[in-house]
Amino acid sequence: EVQLAESGGGWVQPGGSLRLSCVASGFTFHSYKMTWVRQAPGKELEWVSSIFRDAYRKYYTDSVNGRFTISRDDARNTLYLQLNSLKTEDTAMYYCALGGADDALSRSAIRGQGTQVTVSS
């Protein structure tokens, strides 16, 4: 059974940082692109970032580019998202997902339960 388990969310003041983790199991982690998506209250699911199998190709939505960093540790079957210079508009539930952006946003997406990030003063 494929499982994705996110952690690392919490409350932080604007300008602060968090590191999200996603531990994967039930599939060959190193063989797949992986993605982070988020959903703010009252808004649709939004693609945030994706990383290819080679761990070098990384893509970000414009609003987080330069502030967030995606990475992966295939030996630990773990996906990460470093969130720096957080803004109130980054407040959302963050999910890791198997595959690329299209996979992550599809109705049949495989995503974890999510971890809540709240940015406020």
Side-chain angles (χ1 to χ4, degrees):
E1 179 186 3
V2 173
Q3 290 190 333
L4 299 168
E6 302 94 336
S7 62
W11 173 83
V12 64
Q13 292 184 331
S17 297
L18 287 171
R19 188 194 196 199
L20 308 184
S21 299
C22 171
V23 177
S25 61
F27 65 100
T28 309
F29 181 75
H30 65 80
S31 295
Y32 288 86
K33 286 188 290 189
M34 294 293 295
T35 292
W36 286 97
V37 295
R38 67 185 180 185
Q39 188 165 28
K43 295 189 176 181
E44 293 186 353
L45 201 62
E46 175 191 26
W47 171 73
V48 175
S49 179
S50 296
I51 185 168
F52 278 59
R53 294 181 296 170
D54 57 19
Y56 291 100
R57 288 176 288 171
K58 306 174 183 181
Y59 299 93
Y60 303 92
T61 191
D62 288 346
S63 63
V64 310
N65 198 22
R67 300 188 297 119
F68 291 7
T69 302
I70 192 171
S71 62
R72 62 191 299 160
D73 183 340
D74 289 344
R76 297 178 183 271
N77 285 356
T78 303
L79 178 72
Y80 300 101
L81 187 67
Q82 178 69 39
L83 289 63
N84 295 331
S85 303
L86 281 161
K87 304 176 180 180
T88 56
E89 52 263 43
D90 295 318
T91 294
M93 185 72 79
Y94 284 71
Y95 302 90
C96 67
L98 194 159
D102 290 344
D103 300 311
L105 297 175
S106 73
R107 290 188 177 184
S108 59
I110 299 174
R111 296 190 290 262
Q113 293 299 305
T115 186
Q116 177 68 39
V117 172
T118 302
V119 186
S120 72
S121 54

